[in-house]
C-alpha cells in the first residue's frame, strides 16, 4: 500500500527533539527523510541519556525512526557542493538550528530559493520575531515563556513545568502541519515558502484556554470554576488551578483504593452536569439530586470542594480500574492516572501501533511510541532509527557520485 507522502523528499537538518519529532511524523507518512549529521558526532542526542555504553540512546532512537542518515560537513567547500545537490533534489528543508546558523553556513533563504525555487524551508525557533528571536531555547524555557508554567501547579506553590513535551514535540507537530500545508499550496503556486513554528507560539497555542480565562478574569475579577472560588483571592493574572478543569465541566483528581502506597492510585473525575443524577446515585448522595444547594451547576460552583470530597469518599473504596468500569456504565467521564509502566503494558495500545516494539542492531528490542495519527490509506510501519551515516554512500550514489568521489570525500573528512 502507498503512503500519503510518497515521493516527498525531506532534507532533515534537525536535532534534539522538536525538529526530529516533525520529520519523524513526515517519515511515518511516507516521506523520504534524509537526516544530515556531522561526521563523527551526529545529533547530540545519540549520546545523551545513554542506557547502554556506545549505543544510540533511546532519546535518539525514539525520535528518528524511518529516516536515513548521512554525515556531511556542510561548512567545507565539498560539503557545500553535496548540500547544493541535495537542496536541488529535495522538496523540504527542515531545521531547528540556533537562529542564524543556516545563514552562517551560507544557505540563506535567497540562496536556497536560487538553487530550488520549489523548496520549502521549515524552521523551529524558540521565539518568533521580537526581542528574544536570537535566543536559544529548550523545552522548559518554552513552557515558561509560552504561558504553560504560570498556569500549571497549585495556587500556593511555584510555577510548574509538565512532563508532556509541549514545547519540543508540540512545536514539531505544529511545524509538520505547516509543511504539509505549504506542500499543498505549492501544488497551485509552484513555489516554495518559509514555514516557521516558534516554540513560544506553539506552547501559547496549546494554552489557548488560559488566555480565554485571562480575559474572563479581567472582565469579572473572579472565575467561579477555579478552586480559588469562593474563599480564595484572585489577582490580576490567571492563577494556577491545581487539578481543577477550570472549564465548562468541573473535574478533579481524586484518590482511589491503594493511594497510600501507590503514587498513581488516582482517577480524574468529571462531574458533568447532564449526568449529575447518576453521579449522586453512584456516590450515595441521592439527596443532592433535589437539594437546591447542589441540584444545579451554578449552585454547585461554590461547593465544588465538597462535591469532590464526597466523590473521593466513594472512589477511595475502589481501585482506579474498578471505578473506571463502574462510572462508565453510567456514562460518567473519568480517567485513571496511568503510569508509564502501565501504558507500556497496555494491550490495546500495542494492538493499534501506538506502542511499538522495535528491533535495533546494536541495542536489541525496545519500546517506542508509534504514530499517534492513523490514516486508513497510509498505514505506518515503524522502522528503526539509522546508525550515524548509515546511508551516506547510498544517498551520494543517488546524487550521481561514484565510488572514487566518495573515497575522495572520505579522505577530505567531508563525510
Ligand atoms: N556540518 C557543519 N556544521 C554543522 C553541521 C554540519 N553537518 N550541523 C550543524 N552544524 C553547526 C551549525 O552550523 C552551528 O554552527 P554555528 O554556531 O557556527 O553557526 C553549530 O553546528 C551548532 O548548531 P546549534 O543549532 O547552534 O546547536 P547548539 O547546540 O549550540 O544549540 C539549540 C542547540 C537546540 C539550543 C539550538 O539549536 C536552538 O535554539 N534551536 C532552535 C530551538 C529548538 O529547536 N530548541 C529545542 C531543541 S529540542
Amino acid at each position: 500500500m502507498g503512503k500519503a507522502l510518497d515521493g516527498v523528499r525531506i532534507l532533515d537538518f534537525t536535532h534534539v527533539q522538536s525538529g526530529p519529532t516533525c520529520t519523524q511524523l513526515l517519515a511515518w507518512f511516507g516521506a523520504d527523510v534524509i537526516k544530515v549529521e556531522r561526521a563523527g558526532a551526529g545529533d547530540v542526542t545519540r549520546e545523551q541519556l545513554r542506557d547502554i555504553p556506545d549505543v544510540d540512546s533511546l532519546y535518539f532512537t525514539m525520535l528518528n525512526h524511518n529516516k536515513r542518515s548521512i554525515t556531511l560537513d556542510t561548512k567545507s567547500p565539498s560539503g557545500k557542493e553535496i548540500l547544493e545537490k541535495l537542496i536541488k533534489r529535495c522538496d523540504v528543508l527542515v531545521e531547528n538550528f540556533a537562529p542564524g546558523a543556516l545563514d552562517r553556513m551560507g544557505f540563506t533563504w535567497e540562496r536556497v530559493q536560487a538553487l530550488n525555487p520549489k523548496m520549502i524551508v521549515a524552521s523551529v525557533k524558540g521565539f518568533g520575531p521580537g526581542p528574544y528571536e536570537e535566543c536559544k531555547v529548550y523545552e522548559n524555557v518554552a513552557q515558561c515563556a509560552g504561558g504553560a508554567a504560570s498556569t500549571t501547579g497549585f495556587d500556593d506553590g511555584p510555577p510548574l513545568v509538565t512532563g508532556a513535551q509541549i514545547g519540543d514535540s508540540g512545536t514539531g507537530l505544529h511545524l509538520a502541519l505547516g509543511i504539509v500545508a505549504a506542500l499543498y499550496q505549492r501544488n497551485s503556486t509552484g513555489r516554495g515558502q518559509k514555514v516557521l513554528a516558534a516554540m513560544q507560539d506553539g506552547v501559547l497555542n496549546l494554552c489557548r484556554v488560559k488566555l480565554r480565562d485571562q480575559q474572563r478574569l479581567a472582565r469579572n475579577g473572579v472565575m467561579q470554576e477555579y478552586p480559588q472560588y469562593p474563599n480564595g483571592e484572585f489577582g490580576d493574572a490567571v492563577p494556577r488551578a491545581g487539578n481543577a478543569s477550570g472549564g465548562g465541566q468541573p473535574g478533579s483528581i481524586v484518590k482511589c483504593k491503594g493511594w497510600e502506597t501507590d503514587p498513581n492510585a488516582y482517577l480524574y473525575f468529571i462531574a458533568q452536569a447532564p449526568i449529575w443524577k447518576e453521579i449522586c446515585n453512584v456516590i450515595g448522595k441521592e439527596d443532592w439530586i433535589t437539594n437546591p444547594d447542589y441540584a444545579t451547576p451554578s449552585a454547585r460552583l461554590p461547593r465544588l470542594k465538597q462535591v469532590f470530597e464526597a466523590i473521593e469518599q466513594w472512589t477511595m473504596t475502589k481501585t482506579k480500574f474498578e471505578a473506571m468500569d463502574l462510572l462508565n456504565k453510567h456514562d460518567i467521564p473519568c480517567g485513571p492516572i496511568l503510569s508509564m509502566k502501565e501504558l507500556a503494558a497496555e494491550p490495546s495500545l500495542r494492538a493499534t501501533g501506538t506502542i511499538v516494539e522495535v528491533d535495533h542492531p546494536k541495542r536489541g528490542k525496545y519500546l517506542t511510541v508509534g504514530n499517534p495519527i492513523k490514516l486508513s490509506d497510509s498505514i505506518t510501519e515503524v522502522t528503526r532509527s539509522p546508525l550515524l551515516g548509515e546511508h551516506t554512500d547510498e544517498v551520494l550514489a543517488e546524487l550521481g557520485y561514484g565510488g572514487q568521489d566518495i573515497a575522495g570525500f572520505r579522505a577530505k573528512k567531508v563525510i
Side-chain angles (χ1 to χ4, degrees), residues 15 20 42 91 161 214 228 239 264 272 276 287 311 325 349 351 366 373 375 390 407:
H15 64 157
D91 300 283
V161 294
Q214 179 62 43
Q228 289 79 0
N264 293 307
Q272 197 198 9
W276 177 242
D287 56 309
I311 290 170
D325 283 347
L349 293 175
Y366 66 96
I373 306 164
L375 269 62
E390 186 176 344

Side-chain angles (χ1 to χ4, degrees), residues 15 17-18 38 72 74-75 96-98 104 136-137 168:
H15 64 157
Q17 186 185 162
S18 64
R38 257 186 294 200
L72 193 62
T74 57
K75 287 186 174 166
N96 68 314
F97 289 130
R104 289 193 288 278
K136 290 185 177 180
V137 168
D168 278 339

Side-chain angles (χ1 to χ4, degrees), residues 40-238:
D43 187 327
V44 67
T45 60
R46 283 189 186 265
E47 58 176 31
Q48 278 179 349
L49 312 176
R50 269 188 178 149
D51 55 329
I52 308 174
D54 303 324
V55 172
D56 285 340
S57 71
L58 287 164
Y59 193 9
F60 177 83
T61 57
M62 290 177 72
L63 284 160
N64 290 284
H65 294 104
N66 298 60
K67 302 180 186 177
R68 299 198 280 170
S69 163
I70 71 165
T71 52
L72 193 62
D73 177 358
T74 57
K75 287 186 174 166
S76 74
S78 323
K80 284 185 201 295
E81 174 198 307
I82 297 171
L83 185 52
E84 285 183 9
K85 289 198 175 197
L86 280 166
I87 289 172
K88 286 180 183 159
R89 193 171 152 80
C90 290
D91 300 283
V92 188
L93 187 162
V94 192
E95 61 93 21
N96 68 314
F97 289 130
L102 206 57
D103 293 356
R104 289 193 288 278
M105 223 182 252
F107 291 90
T108 59
W109 164 247
E110 293 73 21
R111 174 97 186 97
V112 173
Q113 285 294 287
L115 291 165
N116 179 0
K118 293 181 82 177
M119 173 65 90
I120 291 158
V121 177
S123 306
V124 169
K125 293 288 165 262
F127 293 92
Y132 305 120
E133 66 187 305
E134 297 302 326
C135 299
K136 290 185 177 180
V137 168
Y138 284 102
E139 171 68 45
N140 289 341
V141 175
Q143 287 198 25
C144 294
S150 72
T151 52
T152 302
F154 289 91
D155 196 26
D156 56 358
L160 281 185
V161 294
T162 82
Q165 304 287 282
I166 57 177
D168 278 339
S169 289
T171 308
L173 266 164
H174 283 87
L175 190 71
L177 179 58
I179 290 170
V180 174
L183 281 167
Y184 187 77
Q185 191 173 14
R186 195 181 70 172
N187 289 335
S188 54
T189 64
R191 283 197 314 275
Q193 61 181 302
K194 286 190 271 187
V195 181
L196 171 66
M199 294 169 75
Q200 181 184 43
D201 301 17
V203 171
L204 182 55
N205 182 36
L206 298 175
C207 293
R208 177 174 295 262
V209 298
K210 298 296 179 180
L211 185 57
R212 170 200 70 194
D213 289 350
Q214 179 62 43
Q215 294 170 88
R216 295 174 61 229
L217 178 67
R219 188 177 300 277
N220 299 323
V222 68
M223 287 182 296
Q224 297 183 335
E225 303 77 12
Y226 274 50
Q228 289 79 0
Y229 181 79
N231 301 319
E233 301 228 325
F234 285 91
D236 59 4
V238 171

